Amino acid sequence: MRLVLVGPPGAGKGTQAVRLAERLDVPHISSGDLFRANLRDKTELGLAAQRYMDAGELVPDEVTVGMLRERLAEDDVEKGFILDGFPRTAAQADALDELLRDAGNELDAVVSLEVGEDVLVQRLLARGRTDDTEDVIRRRQEVYREETAPLLEHYAEQLVTVNAVGEVAEITDRIVDVLGPR
Ligand code: AMP
């Protein structure tokens, strides 16, 4: 199963991706987690990404695509993946299309997690990550609307939408249901 989760910051992509990865037995690949791991290890890539992350801006596409290309070349990805937080721009989606095409694969579905904006801000403020200050949260929402939301059209054919308000387990069930038997 090859899945992409999309949704605004706070929609629960990370939470659902972890649960789906377990249910579907495929690796969970989070671009944000990869950046944070690089930051923790003080790699060159991590240091290059830091100022963008702190400001709620997107890390430049070349850096992000390079990092994902490496991750998607690892052996565990052969059985599929759940992508969380990537792609976030049209250029990243094009790069992913090309990677998949070269490997003779395609996405099974793109799952859009739908949540109203007031719920999002509440969730993010409760999460307390260092980039979860109100200004940065607002900026990330804006970046989502401008850069990432247009991808829903790019993926019109594979897109399934799920109401992502409610209990965590219930939302996972909704996603699994909408994916159907595959
Ligand atoms: P996340 O954990 O998905 O909220 O990502 C945290 C931060 O990492 C974002 O605010 C961006 O600065 C950066 N980031 C994560 N994924 C991407 C991506 N696909 N493209 C560019 N920047 C990203």
Side-chain angles (χ1 to χ4, degrees):
M1 176 79 84
R2 294 181 183 81
L3 282 188
V4 169
L5 294 189
V6 282
K13 295 187 296 296
T15 304
Q16 292 301 329
V18 169
R19 297 171 61 84
L20 288 168
E22 200 166 295
R23 286 257 290 251
L24 304 170
D25 191 29
V26 290
H28 164 213
I29 301 178
S30 154
S31 46
D33 286 351
L34 290 172
F35 280 128
R36 280 184 288 276
N38 274 281
L39 204 54
R40 201 168 46 237
D41 298 343
K42 299 197 165 52
T43 68
E44 208 172 306
L45 186 141
L47 296 174
Q50 180 163 27
R51 64 187 171 98
Y52 298 100
M53 297 173 74
D54 286 346
E57 302 293 340
L58 295 180
V59 178
D61 286 330
E62 314 82 76
V63 177
T64 307
V65 168
M67 179 176 78
L68 265 292
R69 186 176 288 128
E70 272 184 33
R71 179 64 186 90
L72 289 171
E74 287 176 29
D75 291 343
D76 63 335
V77 171
E78 267 163 41
K79 58 181 177 181
F81 53 73
I82 301 194
L83 277 178
D84 153 20
F86 179 91
R88 259 178 154 98
T89 65
Q92 292 177 16
D94 290 341
L96 177 61
D97 286 348
E98 196 179 317
L99 275 177
L100 289 169
R101 201 166 43 237
D102 288 351
N105 292 325
E106 52 185 44
L107 292 176
D108 292 288
V110 174
V111 178
S112 167
L113 299 180
E114 316 253 301
V115 183
E117 189 144 346
D118 42 345
V119 176
L120 295 176
V121 176
Q122 288 310 316
R123 281 187 189 174
L124 291 172
L125 285 172
R127 189 168 69 173
R129 220 167 65 188
T130 56
D131 59 347
D132 282 340
T133 61
E134 200 163 339
D135 282 355
V136 176
I137 288 173
R138 275 188 212 294
R139 181 61 194 144
R140 290 211 309 270
Q141 303 293 347
E142 222 171 76
V143 169
Y144 176 79
R145 279 196 299 272
E146 288 166 8
E147 303 272 354
T148 309
L151 293 185
L152 299 181
E153 270 171 51
H154 178 95
Y155 287 125
E157 267 179 45
Q158 297 103 314
L159 194 69
V160 294
T161 58
V162 174
N163 169 12
V165 181
E167 294 293 322
V168 168
E170 207 177 284
I171 297 166
T172 311
D173 289 341
R174 282 182 209 150
I175 299 171
V176 172
D177 281 353
V178 83
L179 292 174
R182 292 176 192 240

